[in-house]
Amino acid sequence: MAEETYRPRRSVLYMPGANERALEKAKGLDADALILDLEDAVAPDAKEEARDRVCAAASSGEYGSREVTIRANGIGTRWHDDDVAAIATSGAAAIVVPKVDTTEDVDRVADALAAAGAPAELTIWAMIETPLAVANVPAIAGHERLSVLVMGTNDLVKELHAEFVPGRGPILTALSRCVLGARIGGKVILDGVFNDLDDADGFEAECVQGRDYGFDGKTLIHPKQLEPANRVWAPTDEQVDRAQRIIAAFEEAEREGRGVVTVDGRMIENLHVDQA
């Protein structure tokens, strides 16, 4: 199995592209991935300077094993085309595109990347933030240049005329549909942000919910959220031990020509070995 299949994206932290100090601090944070933001976190009169700054950061090679991505301004904004052209050759791992509604949106970005000379390994992360996007997730996830779907739950709640409530009941249907669509397309999907930085228990509960729903990790807005996200989306020592025993038992049964494998009294099949 390809190494990329198991690339961890437990914690994906937004960093404001206009804040040089924040970009420097990110080099030492325990985040699996970073989204250097040119959209919401940057004022209109600072967009161009921020673009130069995040592209320089992405090309610096100073972020270690962290996956560095850049969020462009949205399709149709006056900054979008220049953002895409700059990100294409920045050395970033991916361009994060807000408010993707259709496969045509992804096509447009992919064509612009190609025209700007982007390397094949630079992929697209599409943000799912509208009812139309949720309806089109299976098709969007099937695009060959797209690697990750990112839930934009703040905008989705707004677009649905819903409310933020503990447990996220008003958007659970949308969240589940998006996970289904991501799996149909064979792509990674990240849960949306949690806004209340003072509610540590609520944040951890939402991490557990997202993990249980099938999300591969969570987007974050503050470094204090890194530890809980990394912990929740990492296997426990007990899970690792059981996984190792499942693999060992299955390999032993194959060597001995046995068709039945049990671990801890439970029947083991190929799917359990894949999960292990």
Side-chain angles (χ1 to χ4, degrees):
M1 183 118 5
E3 182 180 345
E4 176 64 17
T5 301
Y6 295 113
R7 180 163 195 165
R9 295 184 177 101
R10 304 164 299 171
S11 53
V12 181
L13 180 64
Y14 286 101
M15 300 299 292
N19 188 327
E20 187 173 1
R21 182 180 176 187
L23 296 179
E24 182 66 27
K25 181 179 180 180
K27 297 174 183 178
L29 295 176
D30 192 19
D32 287 336
L34 301 167
I35 298 176
L36 310 185
D37 190 18
L38 296 176
E39 193 204 19
D40 290 344
V42 181
D45 60 356
K47 298 281 190 185
E48 293 184 7
E49 181 183 354
R51 181 191 302 137
D52 293 339
R53 181 175 286 118
V54 299
C55 288
S59 64
S60 69
E62 296 177 354
Y63 289 85
S65 62
R66 299 165 192 83
E67 188 175 18
V68 178
T69 72
I70 300 173
R71 179 162 74 165
N73 288 281
I75 296 169
T77 66
R78 67 179 186 268
W79 307 283
H80 175 77
D81 291 346
D82 289 340
D83 285 351
V84 175
I87 294 167
T89 56
S90 67
I95 178 171
V96 182
V97 184
K99 292 185 174 60
V100 169
D101 281 335
T102 66
T103 54
E104 288 77 17
D105 290 339
V106 187
D107 283 335
R108 184 183 307 179
V109 175
D111 290 345
L113 290 173
E121 58 267 23
L122 190 155
T123 65
I124 296 170
W125 290 18
M127 295 199 67
I128 306 301
E129 306 183 78
T130 68
L132 181 58
V134 172
N136 287 328
V137 160
I140 292 169
H143 197 284
E144 61 182 2
R145 189 141 198 174
L146 186 139
S147 61
V148 176
L149 297 171
V150 182
M151 294 303 305
T153 44
N154 283 338
D155 279 279
L156 183 59
V157 167
K158 172 180 173 289
E159 293 286 334
L160 290 172
H161 302 173
E163 297 290 340
F164 289 99
V165 298
R168 299 192 289 184
I171 62 168
L172 289 182
T173 297
L175 294 175
S176 183
R177 181 183 177 93
C178 290
V179 172
L180 286 169
R183 300 306 171 223
I184 290 170
K187 303 298 168 61
V188 168
I189 184 165
L190 303 174
D191 199 359
V193 300
F194 185 84
N195 300 308
D196 189 349
L197 294 177
D198 293 326
D199 185 4
D201 291 341
F203 173 70
E204 183 151 348
E206 191 166 291
C207 286
V208 171
Q209 181 194 52
R211 180 200 64 196
D212 291 350
Y213 260 63
F215 286 98
D216 297 292
K218 192 164 183 66
T219 47
L220 313 174
I221 58 172
H222 194 279
K224 70 193 292 185
Q225 297 176 326
L226 287 166
E227 188 280 329
N230 285 336
R231 173 167 39 81
V232 169
W233 264 280
T236 64
D237 290 343
E238 291 77 13
Q239 288 172 321
V240 171
D241 176 68
R242 176 174 169 78
Q244 291 172 335
R245 288 188 289 113
I246 286 173
I247 293 168
F250 192 82
E251 290 176 345
E252 181 180 1
E254 281 191 323
R255 288 193 299 269
E256 296 176 356
R258 291 186 285 113
V260 177
V261 184
T262 60
V263 173
D264 298 337
R266 296 185 178 183
M267 189 77 71
I268 300 302
E269 302 178 52
N270 285 332
L271 68 92
H272 300 117
V273 181
D274 289 341
Q275 288 172 330

